[in-house]
Amino acid sequence: MPRARVQGSRQLSLYLLPASVLILAFLLSSSIPLARSLPFLSNIRSYSHLFRSHPPFSSMPQAPVYFFSHGGPDVQYNKTHPVYPVLQAIGKEITQKVKPKAVMVFSAHWQAEPSEIHLNNAEDTDLIYDFYGFPPEFYKATFPSKGSPTLAARILTLLSDAGIKAKGLKRGLDHGVFSGFNVAFNPEENPLNCPLVQVSLFNNEDPDAHYRLGQAVAPLREENILIVGTGMTVHNLRDMRFAWGSPTPLPYVVSFDNALKEAVEADPKIRQERMAAVTRRPDAKQAHPWADHLMPVYVAAGAAGNDKGIQTWTLHEASFAWGQYRFGDVPA
C-alpha cells in the first residue's frame, strides 16, 4: 500500500477509537510512568496533533451569506420606507442568531482594478461620503467599526491561493456599507460588535470573475465569518427622474428582478451559469447601465458554495429593485 494511503488509513482508524481511549491518550504524557508502560497510548499520543488541526466532528456550522440592497444615503434617515424594518430584521437575525466572529463586506461603491482586488487592512478608518447634493446632516453620519489586520491578511492569502491579484491598503467605509449598516446594525439598538473588513469588487462587469471572488473567500464561513454583498438588484439613476413618484415601476425593474430571483434560487450546481445568463438579457443594461450594484450578489452567490439562495424580500420602486438575499441556513 502506498505510504500516503497508509497514513490516511491510520487517520481514519483513530476516528473510530473509543472516546475513553482518546481521552487517556491526550491526558497522559510520556513523563508519566503509566504512559511509558502502555505503548499503545504512546502511539495514539503521537497522532494527537491530527485532532487539534482536523477535529473529526465540528459543532460550528458555516455562516450564511447575505446580499443587502442598501439604497441611497437617505436609507438610514427614512424610517417610513418599507425597506427600513426589513433591514432591521436582517440585522437582528445576524446579531442574535448568526453571531459572527467578524464581517467582510463587498460594496458596489468600491471597484478597484479590472483584474485586482483591494481591501482595507487598517484597524481604524473614517467614512467616505461618496455622494453629492444631499442635506448637510447626511455628511455628519457616523458608524462605529473596527477593522482587523489579521483577517485582512487571511483574506489576502485566500485570494492569492485562488490566483487573484490583491493588495491591502487603508480606506474608509463608503455609504454602500455605512448607510444600510446603520439600519441593520444600529449602534444604539443592535450594535454589530465585531471586526469589519471591506473588500473591493473588480472594476469590471464580469459575473464569473466576481463569482470566483466569492468562491475564494468561502472558507472563512467555516470560522463563522459573515460575508455580505451590498448593492441593488435593479439600479438605474438615469431613469429615476422619469419614474419617481409613480406607483408603477418601470417594466424592466420587474422583469429583471424576477429573472435574477429565479437564477439565484436555482440549484447551486447550475446557479453560476444561470446567473451569468441574466447579465446577457435584453433588459440587463436598462436595469444596470453599469453593473457595479449587481456584482456583489455574484460574490455572495460564489461564497455560498453548495448552499441554496433565497430572496427574503423585494420591492419594485421607480427605476430600482430592493431584492434581499440569504444563502445557507441560520442557526436556530
Side-chain angles (χ1 to χ4, degrees), residues 108 111 201 204-206 279 285 288-296:
Q111 295 180 291
L201 304 174
N204 65 42
E205 298 184 290
D206 184 342
T279 65
K285 278 298 180 184
H288 292 276
W290 177 251
D292 52 352
H293 279 70
L294 181 61
M295 290 299 103

Side-chain angles (χ1 to χ4, degrees), residues 52-109:
R52 290 193 295 270
S53 57
H54 303 287
F57 303 105
S58 175
S59 60
M60 181 179 291
Q62 286 196 121
V65 182
Y66 290 83
F67 172 79
F68 290 8
S69 281
H70 63 70
D74 60 327
V75 70
Q76 68 186 93
Y77 305 102
N78 189 0
K79 296 184 178 182
T80 62
H81 193 281
V83 80
Y84 197 92
V86 173
L87 289 174
Q88 283 183 313
I90 295 171
K92 289 178 180 177
E93 177 178 276
I94 290 169
T95 59
Q96 296 175 13
K97 294 185 177 181
V98 181
K99 300 177 182 178
K101 184 169 70 175
V103 174
M104 63 180 302
V105 58
F106 297 85
S107 164
H109 294 274

Side-chain angles (χ1 to χ4, degrees), residues 1-321:
M1 183 180 291
R3 185 174 182 179
R5 293 184 61 190
V6 170
Q7 183 179 3
S9 65
R10 286 175 177 167
Q11 291 184 25
L12 177 61
S13 66
L14 287 174
Y15 288 89
L16 301 178
L17 285 170
S20 58
V21 174
L22 297 179
I23 292 170
L24 283 172
F26 291 129
L27 293 179
L28 296 175
S29 70
S30 59
S31 62
I32 299 175
L34 178 59
R36 293 197 298 269
S37 68
L38 298 175
F40 81 97
L41 287 181
S42 297
N43 292 337
I44 293 172
R45 188 177 57 252
S46 69
Y47 289 109
S48 63
H49 68 282
L50 298 175
F51 293 89
R52 290 193 295 270
S53 57
H54 303 287
F57 303 105
S58 175
S59 60
M60 181 179 291
Q62 286 196 121
V65 182
Y66 290 83
F67 172 79
F68 290 8
S69 281
H70 63 70
D74 60 327
V75 70
Q76 68 186 93
Y77 305 102
N78 189 0
K79 296 184 178 182
T80 62
H81 193 281
V83 80
Y84 197 92
V86 173
L87 289 174
Q88 283 183 313
I90 295 171
K92 289 178 180 177
E93 177 178 276
I94 290 169
T95 59
Q96 296 175 13
K97 294 185 177 181
V98 181
K99 300 177 182 178
K101 184 169 70 175
V103 174
M104 63 180 302
V105 58
F106 297 85
S107 164
H109 294 274
W110 189 10
Q111 295 180 291
E113 303 292 338
S115 58
E116 182 176 272
I117 294 298
H118 296 169
L119 60 87
N120 180 22
N121 61 1
E123 185 172 2
D124 296 298
T125 56
D126 298 323
L127 303 186
I128 300 174
Y129 303 104
D130 53 341
F131 44 82
Y132 305 94
F134 286 89
E137 61 267 25
F138 283 37
Y139 302 93
K140 299 176 182 177
T142 60
F143 184 74
S145 70
K146 282 285 185 180
S148 171
T150 301
L151 175 56
R154 176 81 195 288
I155 295 168
L156 285 173
T157 298
L158 289 172
L159 295 178
S160 176
D161 290 346
I164 297 174
K165 188 178 180 182
K167 70 177 182 181
L169 48 81
K170 182 175 181 178
R171 181 187 186 270
L173 299 178
D174 57 62
H175 87 269
V177 180
F178 75 77
S179 293
F181 274 33
N182 261 311
V183 182
F185 309 112
N186 182 282
E188 302 296 329
E189 300 172 6
N190 188 42
L192 188 55
N193 287 338
C194 69
L196 174 64
V197 173
Q198 184 175 356
V199 183
S200 80
L201 304 174
F202 291 111
N203 191 10
N204 65 42
E205 298 184 290
D206 184 342
D208 290 322
H210 286 91
Y211 206 98
R212 291 191 296 270
L213 174 59
Q215 290 174 324
V217 297
L220 294 172
R221 297 176 59 204
E222 298 174 4
E223 303 169 33
N224 202 31
I225 293 172
L226 187 74
I227 299 172
V228 179
T230 75
M232 293 287 287
T233 52
V234 175
H235 183 263
N236 189 325
L237 289 172
R238 179 188 60 201
D239 287 353
M240 183 172 67
R241 65 186 185 277
F242 301 123
W244 199 254
S246 170
T248 305
L250 293 172
Y252 63 78
V253 173
V254 179
S255 61
F256 187 86
D257 194 50
N258 289 343
L260 182 63
K261 175 183 184 293
E262 183 177 346
V264 171
E265 294 185 344
D267 187 306
K269 294 183 180 65
I270 59 173
R271 181 171 60 209
Q272 183 176 0
E273 178 185 347
R274 293 284 179 87
M275 289 182 67
V278 169
T279 65
R280 300 189 293 269
R281 287 172 54 86
D283 55 0
K285 278 298 180 184
Q286 291 176 293
H288 292 276
W290 177 251
D292 52 352
H293 279 70
L294 181 61
M295 290 299 103
V297 76
Y298 288 79
V299 179
N306 293 324
D307 287 337
K308 284 186 64 68
I310 60 167
Q311 184 192 79
T312 57
W313 188 82
T314 196
L315 172 70
H316 301 145
E317 180 181 40
S319 56
F320 304 98

